[in-house]
Amino acid sequence: MFSPTGGDNIGQLDSLISPGNFKNSYTYGQNRKVSESLDLPFSSNPDEFIYKTVYAYNAQNLETETIFSSRTLNVTEFTLENRTTLSYQSNKLSEEIEYSRLSNNWEEDYKTTYTYDGQGKLTRANGYTKNGNVWEENEKSEYTYEANRLTKQEDFYFEAGSYEKFYEIRYIYNGAGKVSEEQWYNHNPVETLPD
């Protein structure tokens, strides 16, 4: 699901060499945001893939769409694979819909809705899968804060009409107010958590 401690850490990099077999290359638009990223292989093997992601933004410079495509080195045209659209209310992400490319059409696969408290902090993210024309509950994440700091994320899956917790992450902060440790707990099977 969504990680509220993450973010756009790319900055103004033109390229980034990943440990492994790819070079990431970034193109920026007039809004100083990434408009396109390419994952390029170091290998000259014609069967290696090139991955491309194209980003779109609204007038407030908030990301509204990403389109992911790929091709092999020996093919010139990219094949569309998936797409994500993002909607906002009061400049806060409210809904994210993921699509797959089927028979030259975009088909909705997965939807996440976001809920915030009165201070604008994310408190819940609900995930839904598409079954025909109906969105069905699938999973959710709940976020707990203390002293304006995220201290806990609980992840649940939906099964047989109710939610069951399967993961918990606790965030520990250092004296500078930065996350210094993440403690991960698997609830399947349920573990005894420290107080």
Side-chain angles (χ1 to χ4, degrees):
M1 294 283 293
F2 179 77
S3 173
T5 61
D8 181 6
N9 294 322
I10 294 173
Q12 291 296 313
L13 294 175
D14 291 323
S15 66
L16 174 67
I17 309 277
S18 299
N21 302 323
F22 284 87
K23 173 184 177 183
N24 299 324
S25 178
Y26 302 96
T27 304
Y28 293 85
Q30 291 182 335
N31 61 358
R32 301 180 67 188
K33 298 272 192 173
V34 175
S35 59
E36 180 180 281
S37 67
L38 288 173
D39 295 340
L40 307 163
F42 286 128
S43 165
S44 58
N45 178 344
D47 293 326
E48 287 284 350
F49 276 89
I50 296 173
Y51 301 101
K52 177 170 77 170
T53 306
V54 176
Y55 304 85
Y57 302 88
N58 64 17
Q60 291 78 35
N61 281 329
L62 299 171
E63 186 178 305
T64 57
E65 180 179 55
T66 59
I67 298 176
F68 179 79
S69 56
S70 67
R71 70 175 177 89
T72 57
L73 289 175
N74 61 352
V75 175
T76 57
E77 292 292 319
F78 280 92
T79 300
L80 296 170
E81 293 190 20
N82 56 53
R83 170 181 178 228
T84 302
T85 59
L86 301 99
S87 302
Y88 300 85
Q89 290 182 351
S90 302
N91 290 332
K92 292 281 190 187
L93 182 61
S94 59
E95 183 177 86
E96 186 173 351
I97 299 178
E98 298 173 20
Y99 304 77
S100 292
R101 188 78 171 169
L102 301 171
S103 304
N104 291 325
N105 293 309
W106 291 115
E107 300 287 335
E108 295 176 329
D109 283 335
Y110 193 83
K111 175 172 75 170
T112 307
T113 59
Y114 301 95
T115 304
Y116 302 87
D117 66 15
Q119 296 177 327
K121 290 182 179 58
L122 179 66
T123 57
R124 188 170 172 160
N126 285 73
Y128 304 87
T129 52
K130 193 84 179 257
N131 184 4
N133 291 325
V134 177
W135 288 109
E136 295 180 343
E137 292 178 83
N138 183 3
E139 61 184 341
K140 72 176 178 177
S141 294
E142 295 180 348
Y143 307 94
T144 303
Y145 301 84
E146 293 176 17
N148 290 325
R149 294 179 180 161
L150 177 66
T151 55
K152 184 169 52 173
Q153 174 181 331
E154 297 173 285
D155 295 330
F156 303 81
Y157 63 88
F158 192 79
E159 187 175 299
S162 66
Y163 281 103
E164 298 291 330
K165 186 191 295 191
F166 69 92
Y167 238 88
E168 181 175 317
I169 306 168
R170 294 187 182 180
Y171 300 96
I172 309 301
Y173 292 82
N174 62 22
K178 304 288 185 187
V179 174
S180 61
E181 185 179 327
E182 290 183 3
Q183 298 174 348
W184 293 67
Y185 301 95
N186 182 352
H187 284 263
N188 195 4
V190 174
E191 297 178 12
T192 303
L193 299 177
D195 289 332

